[in-house]
């Protein structure tokens, strides 16, 4: 892979030096956030009744648990207090976020760093990325998740079995902690050349303009749904998850999106806390008899009726069932024994099961989910009920993240003018960058593109109205009770309004 196209600009020593510093900052931030998370876990184990929102006093070297943690991983307290990984400062004494910006620009493109919050810090949600590409660098951790042992390239949006195979590069071989006047190692040079070639081999996928009523993204989701049977689209609020689900359903069925509601091959339901098994599968429902008295009758729920429609249909036809806000319902109560049936490996008639009310059936019928039924769920990552989503059900669904940046393609066929689209893109991107830099927030709290669809109907002062009536109230809820609440809101407003009169304050604290 160690080849660079002849027409590309030559790589110079300065590129290697910048890349080395970028890798150092990436590993630095990972370790800082990992230490914070690991200390928090130890605190919660020792004090099970403690406030779950407690973030850990990683700065306090006198805290016994912090000392216990540092001793456990062999990191002296005095060394930790004096090191960059303790104080969260960059080489120039400023914040990590601002210092690393000096190492983003290269002749091939711009590189960015994303760090996932909470327990996700050790996941592939933390990565280095050529902006507007799928070409990432991710970390590999040791068994105890307290040290990064190496880095490797990773192509996002591709299943593990289809991933290009790239070697793990050990941190010791990269020499990322060498002084600035030290020549970059040959391993680091090759890693950078390979990462540059990686971008050329996997360029940004442009939307296929000749593809009728669909996009490359929708086509990719259809392929994933066909292979997995069940998917969940998750992401920040306003990223158009329901909008995408309808597009996928229409394309799979082979009809226009406007015809979905009338199609027997499509059904839509929204879960909520009061939704249960009787609504979804079957249950006893009150009826009024001819003499005016009331009795109860066994009635099929919406999903069972939908599945029974497919029993008589051509097996080549595809049926799509959309569950909006799937995490807002009590999953185990709603699905019941369908946990078994919804599994892609147990579809079809031979795996039929008895439902809870099977003793009331007039015959010995078995319920099953046909192979040509596809389920799409949607959910917001920041919804409080996400954490309680049933693990047994998680295993049966393929989770696909819908990012705020990806959601901007919903503007393509909208009534927004080209100027509004350009303005919306600038404001949305700037706003989300500030959101991700605020302590306690991350990309899960990004603002999605659907909020800007309102511009077409807001009339005069539409950007001001959008901020005052829609965005500011939401962001205020994000920040309620947090540190620097007022300052952070000012920074968010400046970003949204493209106010460049003074530098936006960086409030993200890397502890």
């Amino acid at each position: 892979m160690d080849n660079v196209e002849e027409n590309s600009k030559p790589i110079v020593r300065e590129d290697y030096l910048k890349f080395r510093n970028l890798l150092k900052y990436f590993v630095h931030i990972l370790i800082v956030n990992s230490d914070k998370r690991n200390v928090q876990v130890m605190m919660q184990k020792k004090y099970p009744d403690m406030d779950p929102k407690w973030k850990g006093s990683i700065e306090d070297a006198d805290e016994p648990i912090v000392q216990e943690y540092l001793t456990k991983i062999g990191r002296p307290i005095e060394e930790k207090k004096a090191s960059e990984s303790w104080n969260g400062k960059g080489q120039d004494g400023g914040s990590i976020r601002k210092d690393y910006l000096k190492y983003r620009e290269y002749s091939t493109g711009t590189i960015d760093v994303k760090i996932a919050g909470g327990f996700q810090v050790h996941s592939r949600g933390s990565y280095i990325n050529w902006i507007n590409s799928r070409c990432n660098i991710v970390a590999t951790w040791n068994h105890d998740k307290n040290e990064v042992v190496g880095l490797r390239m990773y192509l996002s949006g591709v299943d593990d079995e289809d991933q290009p195979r790239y070697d793990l590069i050990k941190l010791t071989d990269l020499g990322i902690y060498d002084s600035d006047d030290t020549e970059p190692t040959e391993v680091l040079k090759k890693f950078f050349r390979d990462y540059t070639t990686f971008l050329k081999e996997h360029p940004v996928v442009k939307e296929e303009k000749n593809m009728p009523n669909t996009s490359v993204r929708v086509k990719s989701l259809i392929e994933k749904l066909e292979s997995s049977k069940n998917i969940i689209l998750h992401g920040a609020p306003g990223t158009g998850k329901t909008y995408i689900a309808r597009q996928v359903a229409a394309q799979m069925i082979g009809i226009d999106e406007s015809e979905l509601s009338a199609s027997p091959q499509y059904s839509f339901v929204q879960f909520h806390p009061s939704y249960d098994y009787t609504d979804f599968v079957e249950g006893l429902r009150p009826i009024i008899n001819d003499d005016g008295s009331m009795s109860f009758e066994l009635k099929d729920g919406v999903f069972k009726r939908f599945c029974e429609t497919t029993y008589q249909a051509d097996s080549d036809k595809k049926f799509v069932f959309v569950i909006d806000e799937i995490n807002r319902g009590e999953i185990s109560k709603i699905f019941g024994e369908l946990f078994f049936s919804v599994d892609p490996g147990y579809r079809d008639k031979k795996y039929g099961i008895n439902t809870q009310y099977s003793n009331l059936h007039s015959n010995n019928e078995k319920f099953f989910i046909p192979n040509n039924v596809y389920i799409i769920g949607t959910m917001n990552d920041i919804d409080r009920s996400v954490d309680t989503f049933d693990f047994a059900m998680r295993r049966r669904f393929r989770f696909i993240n819908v990012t705020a940046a990806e959601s901007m393609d919903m503007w393509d066929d909208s009534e927004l003018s080209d100027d509004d689209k350009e303005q919306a893109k600038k404001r949305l991107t700037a706003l989300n960058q500030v959101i991700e830099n605020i302590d306690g927030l991350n990309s899960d709290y990004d603002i999605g593109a659907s909020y800007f669809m309102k511009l077409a109907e807001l009339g005069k002062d539409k950007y001001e109205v959008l901020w005052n009536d829609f965005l500011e109230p939401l962001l205020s809820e994000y920040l309620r009770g947090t540190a620097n609440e007022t300052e952070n809101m000012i920074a968010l407003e400046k970003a949204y309004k493209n106010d460049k009169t003074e530098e936006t304050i960086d409030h993200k604290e890397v502890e």
Side-chain angles (χ1 to χ4, degrees):
M1 186 175 180
D2 192 3
N3 61 335
V4 179
E5 293 180 5
E6 294 180 0
N7 61 353
S8 63
K9 294 182 180 180
I11 297 175
V12 297
R13 183 173 182 271
E14 183 65 23
D15 289 324
Y16 296 132
L17 293 174
K18 285 197 296 184
F19 188 61
R20 182 170 67 186
N21 276 302
L22 186 78
L23 296 183
K24 177 179 179 179
Y25 278 119
F26 176 56
V27 173
H28 171 93
I29 300 172
L30 283 176
I31 293 295
V32 170
N33 282 276
S34 177
D35 284 350
K36 175 181 175 180
R37 173 53 61 187
N38 291 339
V39 168
Q40 180 181 358
V41 170
M42 291 177 68
M43 283 291 290
Q44 289 173 337
K45 286 182 178 179
K46 185 170 182 179
Y47 307 110
D49 296 329
M50 65 177 281
D51 182 356
K53 295 182 180 179
W54 183 86
K55 295 183 178 181
S57 54
I58 191 68
E59 297 163 325
D60 184 4
D62 296 327
E63 167 61 54
I65 289 212
V66 175
Q67 296 186 33
E68 179 185 344
Y69 171 70
L70 295 176
T71 302
K72 177 182 177 182
I73 64 176
R75 201 176 296 159
I77 294 174
E78 291 74 17
E79 175 185 318
K80 176 73 174 177
K81 290 177 68 175
S83 72
E84 289 181 14
S85 58
W86 177 272
N87 59 41
K89 300 295 184 182
Q91 290 177 326
D92 297 338
S95 72
I96 290 291
R97 182 74 180 178
K98 288 179 182 176
D99 272 7
Y100 107 93
L101 295 177
K102 297 180 296 186
Y103 310 118
R104 299 178 71 219
E105 303 297 335
Y106 301 83
S107 58
T108 312
T110 302
I111 299 179
D112 201 7
V113 173
K114 295 285 185 181
I115 304 295
F119 287 102
Q120 299 300 312
V121 66
H122 304 113
S123 73
R124 292 175 188 149
S126 298
Y127 55 86
I128 290 172
N129 167 257
W130 283 114
I131 286 182
N132 295 326
S133 81
R134 297 183 295 144
C135 304
N136 298 343
I137 292 175
V138 296
T140 297
W141 294 81
N142 64 352
H143 180 269
D144 293 327
K145 304 293 187 184
N146 53 42
E147 294 292 345
V148 175
V149 297
L151 303 172
R152 65 181 176 86
M153 292 183 290
Y154 181 81
L155 189 63
S156 67
V158 176
D159 293 336
D160 286 348
E161 59 267 24
D162 298 323
Q163 276 289 327
R165 296 301 172 189
Y166 298 119
D167 294 335
L168 174 69
I169 311 299
K170 296 181 179 179
L171 290 190
T172 52
D173 295 332
L174 288 169
I176 64 173
Y177 295 112
D178 292 347
S179 61
D180 285 345
D181 57 356
T182 304
E183 188 68 19
T185 67
E186 292 302 316
V187 173
L188 183 135
K189 291 179 180 178
K190 184 177 186 302
F191 192 37
F192 180 69
R193 292 195 299 269
D194 286 350
Y195 191 43
T196 300
T197 304
F198 190 29
L199 177 62
K200 294 180 172 65
E201 293 176 345
H202 302 282
V204 180
V205 179
K206 303 294 184 182
E207 183 172 321
E208 299 176 13
K209 297 299 182 182
N210 296 326
M211 188 182 295
N213 301 319
T214 191
S215 67
V216 172
R217 179 163 64 138
V218 171
K219 183 179 179 181
S220 173
L221 289 173
I222 289 174
E223 292 173 351
K224 292 177 180 179
L225 180 57
E226 287 179 333
S227 65
S228 302
K229 302 292 185 184
N230 313 311
I231 65 173
I232 287 181
L233 305 177
H234 68 100
T239 47
K241 298 174 287 294
T242 305
Y243 169 82
I244 297 169
R246 287 177 57 85
Q247 286 186 313
V248 171
Q251 290 299 322
M252 286 193 71
I253 296 171
I255 60 176
D256 189 83
E257 189 179 340
S258 62
E259 301 173 308
L260 280 176
S261 298
S263 173
Q265 293 173 248
Y266 172 81
S267 188
F268 175 94
V269 68
Q270 186 179 76
F271 282 1
H272 52 77
S274 298
Y275 208 86
D276 63 14
Y277 184 92
T278 60
D279 301 303
F280 194 64
V281 185
E282 63 180 6
L284 295 174
R285 293 293 191 184
I287 61 171
I288 302 299
N289 300 316
D290 293 338
D291 61 359
S293 62
M294 186 182 74
S295 60
F296 289 86
E297 183 177 348
L298 185 63
K299 295 283 188 179
D300 290 338
V302 60
F303 185 65
K304 187 177 181 182
R305 292 197 302 270
F306 181 75
C307 288
E308 289 180 341
T309 301
T310 70
Y311 295 169
Q312 309 302 322
D314 187 336
S315 60
D316 291 331
K317 285 187 175 181
K318 296 175 181 177
F319 291 73
V320 182
F321 192 91
V322 175
I323 305 174
D324 198 37
E325 310 250 9
I326 188 170
N327 54 304
R328 292 191 65 232
E330 188 175 335
I331 301 298
S332 58
K333 182 176 71 172
I334 295 171
F335 277 83
E337 63 279 352
L338 265 61
F339 272 29
F340 173 86
S341 300
V342 78
D343 193 311
Y346 297 104
R347 297 289 187 94
D348 221 344
K349 190 172 185 177
K350 64 180 179 180
Y351 296 112
I353 60 172
N354 290 319
T355 59
Q356 291 184 25
Y357 294 89
S358 58
N359 61 312
L360 300 180
H361 295 163
S362 57
N363 52 39
N364 192 28
E365 65 183 40
K366 303 281 187 178
F367 176 75
F368 66 94
I369 301 176
N371 270 315
N372 57 341
V373 169
Y374 301 85
I375 302 174
I376 305 175
T378 72
M379 71 182 201
N380 286 331
D381 285 336
I382 62 172
D383 192 292
R384 293 178 181 176
S385 52
V386 171
D387 292 337
T388 62
F389 195 86
D390 196 286
F391 283 103
M393 188 58 78
R394 281 183 183 272
R395 185 172 61 82
R396 289 162 169 81
F397 278 82
R398 182 174 182 170
F399 283 69
I400 301 169
N401 188 34
V402 181
T403 67
E406 291 173 334
S407 70
M408 287 189 279
D409 64 8
M410 72 173 67
W411 298 336
D412 293 345
D413 299 322
S414 71
E415 297 178 3
L416 295 179
S417 66
D418 290 341
D419 181 66
D420 277 340
K421 292 176 185 177
E422 185 63 25
Q423 277 291 319
K425 181 178 180 180
K426 290 180 180 178
R427 292 169 184 260
L428 179 67
T429 302
L431 186 59
N432 286 338
Q433 285 178 347
V434 176
I435 288 174
E436 294 174 19
N437 287 338
I438 293 175
D439 188 33
L441 304 185
N442 52 43
S443 59
D444 291 345
Y445 292 81
D446 280 352
I447 298 298
S450 67
Y451 284 94
F452 288 81
M453 295 285 280
K454 305 177 191 298
L455 292 172
E457 59 191 48
L458 292 181
K460 186 180 179 181
D461 300 326
K462 52 191 172 185
Y463 288 101
E464 191 72 21
V465 173
L466 181 62
W467 171 259
N468 291 333
D469 295 352
F470 296 94
L471 297 179
E472 187 179 29
L474 175 65
L475 296 170
S476 295
E477 286 300 314
Y478 285 178
L479 300 177
R480 187 184 300 277
T482 63
N484 303 315
E485 180 176 344
T486 301
E487 292 177 344
N488 283 330
M489 181 56 73
I490 292 173
L492 289 167
E493 185 173 5
K494 284 180 177 291
Y496 172 79
K497 295 181 178 180
N498 290 316
D499 187 343
K500 303 297 184 182
T501 57
E502 60 181 79
E503 183 181 6
T504 299
I505 300 172
D506 180 6
H507 294 295
K508 187 75 171 181
E509 297 179 2
V510 182
E511 300 177 351

